[in-house]
Structure formats: C-alpha cells, structure tokens
Amino acid sequence: MKYLFNKLYSFFNTIKGKIAFYPTLLAVGGLILSLISLSLENTGISEWLTSIYDGFIIDSSDTARTILSYLTGGLISLMVFSFSMVMVLLNQASSNYSPRVLPGLISNKNHQYVLGIYLGTIIYNVFITIAIKASENNEMRIPSFSIFITVLLTVLCLGAFIYFIHSISQSIQVNNILTNEYKKAKTRLKDIIEIQKNEKELDFPDTGNWSSYQSKKTGYFQNVSIDNLKEICKENDIQISILPIKGSFIAENSTIIKVSKSIDEELVLKILSNFNFAEGEFVEDNYLLGFKHIAEIGIRAISPAVNDPSTTINTIDYLTDLLALRLLKKEDEVVSLEDHQPCIWLSTIYFEELLYQIILPYRTYCKNDFSCVQKLLLMFSFLLQQKTVSQKYHESIKKEANNLYEDVKHSLKNERDLERLEAMYQQIA
C-alpha cells in the first residue's frame, strides 16, 4: 500500500509543475458545472430567475445560440492570446536571465488558474449550447439560468484577463524572479535548520564496509520519504546511507544507497520506491537550486550581451542573506529513530564547496568590474560577523575572499581601485 502511495505521490509531484495541470482540473470543473446547471433546469430554476427579473429571459433559441457562440469564440481568442503571452514570457526569461528559472515560471499557479478559468468556461458554454433543443411538443427549451451563469463566467474571465496582464508584466521583471527564488530557497533552508534543531547531534557509523545498491531509474534526485525509510530501518534493523545530494542527476545503475547489512532484492525495491525522481528541478525541494538560479542570473547579467551589473549586484545581496542563514545549518544530516539511534545519513554539500561553487563564476566574470568586486568583499565582511554553527565556515569565507583578492589584483590597472581593494581585503583578512 505504501509503495502504491509513493508512486502516486511521485506522479502528482511531477505533474503539478506542468503548465496544463490546473487548467485540466478547471476544465473538468467546467464540465461538471454544466451538468449541474442543466440538472437544475429540470427543477424550474429558470422560472424562479424570471420571477426575480424578467430581463434574464431569452425567448429566441437563435439569440441564445448566437450569444453563446459569440462568447465562446471571444474566450477562445482570449485564451490563445494569453497562452501566447506565456510563451513570450518563457522565451524572454530564458534569453535574458536563465533557462533554470523556467520550471518556476511554468508552475506559476496564478497563470495556470487563469488559463483554467478560460478553458472551463469554454467547455461550459459548449455543453449549454448543445442543450438548447426542441422538447417533445416542438417548443424550444432555452436554459435561461445556465445562460445567465455563462454571462457571469464571461465577466469572471474578463477580470481574470486583466489580472493576467498585470501578473505577467510583474513576472517578467528580474527583481520579482529573484525575489521568488530567494523566498523559496530561504523557506526550504529554514525548514531544514528547524528540523536539525529537533534532532540530537549523533555520530553515524563508518559506511566503508556496507553493502552498496544501485538506482533503477535515471533522473534528478528530487526528494525522499524519510518517514517511510525510518519505518523500514526499524522493521528490518538496518541503517541506510543516501549517497547522492538532492538535485543531483542520477544515472541508472549508479550507486545510490549503502545499507548496514546485505538485503534481498525485494527490500531494495521497497527502499528505492521512496525516492522521488523528476525531469526538472524545483527550489521548493532543494534550497541549493535557489543559490544556483540566483547565481546564474547574476552571471548572465554581467555578460557583454546583457551588460547589467546592477542586477548582478542585486543577486549578490540575495546570496548574502541566504549564505548568512546557511551558516546556521549543520554539515551532516542524520535522522534518528524514537530511541535516538541514528538510522539514515543524508549526503549534503559542505559549506566550503557551496561557497566555492557560488563565488567561482563571480570571480571569473566579475573581476574586471570593480563595483561587483566591492559588493563581494562586503558580502564576505558581513558573513564573518554573523553567527555560525562551526568556525570552519568562517575559515572557508576567508579562503574565498583571498581567492577573489588574488584574481582581482592582477586584473585591475587603476591605482585608486587597487588601493580600495587592498583596504577592503585587509578588513577581512
């Protein structure tokens, strides 16, 4: 049962990021609403509506069909235009910022809701149009109440279109893209830190002689069900070491776990069923992707093709706050059972490696732009003043500051810039 649940969860986690997910649900909702509306017609709801205000009544079937056809055609044009705007948004974001931000923009629920409202209303209109037909005594059955609902849904669509124009104009702005990536990464990182606070610091056994098992799938390691793995560890008296880092690409037949003792193939499959693979990358599941996306936007902005150092400086500001929060996270992630016995070890990227991978492209592409260099040095200075769970983190910061200093001092030619560089670096060293 749990295996089936994990499969369903993995499937849902994959499709919910697709641009057609919520529009499909709302389209089904439009179909259901049309069936409910037509069922209410048999209860005499149109006559009740007439008693309130007879202006809602349409006596001519041709008029009713014309109105429905007109509204449906207009909504189809509106939906096509809105969908085209989404494609323009994605193309522009990919060209100007980074292709890595596309999954976040595609999975924007607000845009999906708008497209879904259009699609649901169109399907509703089609079924109401079909329902206009002659009765047994050759009198036309005109569902006045359903047509009135059509008018209300069309007004809703127009309001959704206005909201869509506003939302899409905001979404394409680089500041909003950076803010969204920053918030998602910060939320995820805070959750991990909070979990670590509740876990006692435990030493995990040496895994050198443990049995290794390979992945049966290919894809990005997105998430894993820790609660289910804890139960498996408890039931089978085993300990598990998860080797890949979340967000890393896993090839089929590559080693993915180590187990404290040899286990049969059935148990291996049971363990691996708790691993969630995906074709895309989502910051909500892995805060490291937030660092990566923000850094990529900053590097793209400093390139000669874009030439926007102000955006690069903004990315450094966001990375500064995220790194300050990362100083509070422990390196190792060990999950324990109720009796505080360690059962699962999660591989994580160490702070030194994380900082190196973030600063490396900035050192490479920003060393000739002293405004960005100053911002990086201010970031190092700020981080050294923050609280940390390990003094090694501050040593890593000083090491990267030295790497930046060595690269930049050979690139700058202006004496004034060199003097400022030396003064700022001495405050860090």
Side-chain angles (χ1 to χ4, degrees):
M1 186 64 182
K2 289 183 179 179
Y3 178 80
L4 178 61
F5 174 78
N6 290 333
K7 287 295 183 183
L8 292 174
Y9 176 79
S10 177
F11 174 74
F12 176 77
N13 205 34
T14 301
I15 65 171
K16 73 177 183 179
K18 306 298 183 181
I19 194 171
F21 177 63
Y22 287 102
T24 301
L25 292 181
L26 290 172
V28 174
L31 171 60
I32 295 173
L33 179 61
S34 67
L35 297 177
I36 294 174
S37 178
L38 292 175
S39 298
L40 291 175
E41 292 291 343
N42 297 327
T43 65
I45 195 170
S46 292
E47 288 75 9
W48 171 81
L49 184 64
T50 304
S51 65
I52 297 177
Y53 178 56
D54 58 5
F56 295 140
I57 288 296
I58 298 177
D59 297 326
S60 171
S61 61
D62 291 336
T63 302
R65 288 196 181 99
T66 300
I67 292 175
L68 290 172
S69 300
Y70 174 77
L71 294 179
T72 302
L75 288 176
I76 291 175
S77 300
L78 205 62
M79 186 177 69
V80 170
F81 174 77
S82 300
F83 183 77
S84 300
M85 289 291 291
V86 171
M87 294 300 103
V88 171
L89 165 68
L90 298 180
N91 181 63
Q92 187 172 346
S94 177
S95 301
N96 294 348
Y97 310 131
S98 170
R100 304 297 179 186
V101 304
L102 294 186
L105 294 176
I106 291 174
S107 60
N108 188 320
K109 292 183 177 59
N110 294 333
H111 296 166
Q112 294 184 32
Y113 291 153
V114 172
L115 293 177
I117 290 172
Y118 294 160
L119 191 56
T121 303
I122 291 171
I123 291 177
Y124 177 87
N125 290 357
V126 169
F127 278 87
I128 298 303
T129 304
I130 295 173
I132 301 176
K133 56 186 179 180
S135 60
E136 294 180 356
N137 55 2
N138 292 325
E139 292 182 0
M140 296 302 298
R141 289 177 51 192
I142 302 176
S144 301
F145 175 76
S146 300
I147 295 174
F148 175 67
I149 296 298
T150 294
V151 174
L152 294 181
L153 289 176
T154 303
V155 173
L156 176 63
C157 288
L158 294 176
F161 176 71
I162 296 173
Y163 169 77
F164 179 80
I165 295 298
H166 167 75
S167 178
I168 205 168
S169 64
Q170 296 294 316
S171 298
I172 198 61
Q173 295 180 21
V174 65
N175 288 336
N176 292 326
I177 294 176
L178 286 173
T179 300
N180 291 334
E181 294 292 322
Y182 159 76
K183 287 181 178 179
K184 289 186 286 188
K186 187 172 184 178
T187 299
R188 180 58 181 161
L189 191 52
K190 280 184 174 181
D191 291 341
I192 295 176
I193 293 173
E194 193 63 31
I195 292 173
Q196 287 187 339
K197 287 181 180 179
N198 299 327
E199 290 280 354
K200 291 187 177 181
E201 193 167 346
L202 300 170
D203 293 327
F204 203 77
D206 181 31
T207 62
N209 297 324
W210 287 15
S211 301
S212 300
Y213 298 93
Q214 288 71 41
S215 172
K216 309 298 182 183
K217 296 181 179 180
T218 297
Y220 287 95
F221 174 37
Q222 187 173 350
N223 214 334
V224 61
S225 178
I226 295 297
D227 292 336
N228 287 349
L229 289 183
K230 287 173 66 175
E231 290 188 15
I232 292 175
C233 290
K234 185 177 181 179
E235 293 172 357
N236 298 275
D237 191 25
I238 58 175
Q239 294 171 301
I240 301 174
S241 173
I242 300 175
L243 302 180
I245 299 171
K246 286 185 180 180
S248 59
F249 183 79
I250 307 299
E252 187 177 358
N253 296 324
S254 60
T255 302
I256 188 172
I257 59 171
K258 283 188 173 183
V259 184
S260 56
K261 63 182 182 182
S262 297
I263 56 177
D264 56 34
E265 187 67 19
E266 183 180 353
L267 185 54
V268 172
L269 292 176
K270 187 177 180 181
I271 293 174
L272 295 182
S273 69
N274 293 282
F275 286 72
N276 185 22
F277 292 86
E279 297 178 358
E281 303 172 320
F282 297 96
V283 182
E284 293 88 346
D285 297 315
N286 184 10
Y287 74 89
L288 295 175
L289 297 176
F291 286 89
K292 180 180 178 181
H293 294 170
I294 292 173
E296 286 182 352
I297 293 174
I299 300 307
R300 179 68 68 90
I302 201 64
S303 66
V306 180
N307 192 23
D308 184 14
S310 296
T311 296
T312 303
I313 291 174
N314 289 341
T315 63
I316 297 173
D317 289 332
Y318 284 114
L319 289 173
T320 299
D321 191 67
L322 289 176
L323 287 170
L325 184 60
R326 177 60 177 79
L327 292 174
L328 302 177
K329 179 185 176 298
K330 301 173 185 176
E331 294 284 31
D332 297 324
E333 291 187 30
V334 179
V335 180
S336 63
L337 298 174
E338 290 78 4
D339 56 0
H340 303 298
Q341 292 298 317
C343 63
I344 303 172
W345 185 78
L346 301 171
S347 296
T348 59
I349 186 171
Y350 290 111
F351 180 80
E352 181 178 1
E353 180 66 17
L354 172 64
L355 188 62
Y356 176 79
Q357 295 297 337
I358 291 174
I359 301 302
L360 176 60
Y362 281 97
R363 283 197 288 114
T364 303
Y365 297 102
C366 299
K367 59 186 177 183
N368 293 317
D369 191 315
F370 193 58
S371 62
C372 296
V373 172
Q374 289 183 101
K375 198 65 178 179
L376 288 171
L377 292 173
L378 288 173
M379 179 183 75
F380 291 137
S381 178
F382 173 80
L383 293 176
L384 289 173
Q385 300 173 23
Q386 304 306 303
K387 294 181 180 179
T388 177
V389 296
S390 174
Q391 193 59 34
K392 293 181 179 179
Y393 292 175
H394 283 172
E395 295 174 4
S396 300
I397 295 171
K398 291 181 179 180
K399 186 183 297 185
E400 286 306 316
N402 180 69
N403 292 339
L404 178 65
Y405 170 75
E406 292 295 331
D407 283 359
V408 173
K409 74 177 183 179
H410 296 297
S411 300
L412 296 178
K413 305 299 181 183
N414 187 280
E415 290 296 329
R416 178 58 177 161
D417 291 344
L418 289 170
E419 289 177 5
R420 290 180 63 87
L421 173 67
E422 188 68 31
M424 296 183 71
Y425 176 68
Q426 290 303 321
Q427 294 178 0
I428 299 173

